Amino acid sequence: MGYLAPVAWYKAVATADEVVVEQKEHFVKQTWRNRCRIAMPDGPQDLVVPVVAAPNHTALCDIRISDHGNWRHHHWSALRTAYGKSPFFEYYADDFAPFYEKRYEFLADFTEGLRMVVSQLIDLETPVTLSEAYAPPIPFEELPVPTEPYYQVFRQRLGFLPNLSIVDLLFNLGPESLLYLK
């Protein structure tokens, strides 16, 4: 799982009987574990949660978030810029704002908290458990990317941008998000 994971991940969850979120895998830099992609007025933009440098083979559950660069403020501002005019941003903003106000020590706690909120908001009922021991996860890159277009705020300017962060789907489709995922 990752930071506001891509639509493809949530589609896989929505169509699964149950899901185990891998917490013991080694953290790999420049993956979706600590980044998400959103649609900005000028095109896609990655938001990256900075992490404290850790030795090789550090488990994902042990990766600490760095407070370097006031990233929480920048991420929340980017989300407001990207989705402030979307149909459902104001409806869901209060559910996401606390994640950018509170300091989280561990990346896994931050991303799991966001996953739980997203799942609740889209009424995703697939049972999800956290791994106790390492089991190789399916990499995001191997998940089939949904290409069926849905409404996006900047679609007229940028065309349809597939497989953005789940917040793109949620802020644009609201309660219909689960229908798209299934």
Side-chain angles (χ1 to χ4, degrees), residues 34-164:
N34 67 323
R35 68 186 62 228
C36 70
R37 181 166 291 154
I38 62 172
M40 293 294 279
D42 295 329
Q45 177 181 329
D46 288 352
L47 301 179
V48 180
V49 177
V51 296
V52 175
N56 286 343
H57 309 297
T58 300
L60 179 61
C61 61
D62 295 328
I63 296 296
R64 295 178 187 278
I65 295 176
S66 171
D67 270 336
H68 179 72
N70 201 14
W71 70 269
R72 290 188 308 273
H73 171 75
H74 294 297
H75 285 213
W76 186 240
S77 293
L79 289 169
R80 281 195 325 252
T81 298
Y83 300 108
K85 294 184 180 177
S86 67
F88 295 96
F89 179 79
E90 294 223 2
Y91 185 75
Y92 297 123
D94 289 344
D95 295 299
F96 288 92
F99 288 93
Y100 300 95
E101 296 165 355
K102 178 184 173 187
R103 183 185 181 280
Y104 283 80
E105 185 172 358
F106 293 98
L107 179 64
D109 295 337
F110 179 65
T111 58
E112 176 60 12
L114 282 165
R115 185 208 57 80
M116 290 171 54
V117 165
V118 168
S119 294
Q120 179 184 19
L121 294 176
I122 62 177
D123 206 20
L124 184 59
E125 296 178 352
T126 304
V128 175
T129 57
L130 303 178
S131 66
E132 296 288 327
Y134 177 73
I138 298 171
F140 288 116
E141 297 77 23
E142 293 181 22
L143 294 173
V145 174
T147 56
E148 181 69 29
Y150 58 86
Y151 171 80
Q152 291 177 326
V153 175
F154 304 113
R155 184 172 172 186
Q156 195 168 26
R157 181 183 316 162
L158 303 173
F160 177 69
L161 301 171
N163 210 30
L164 295 174

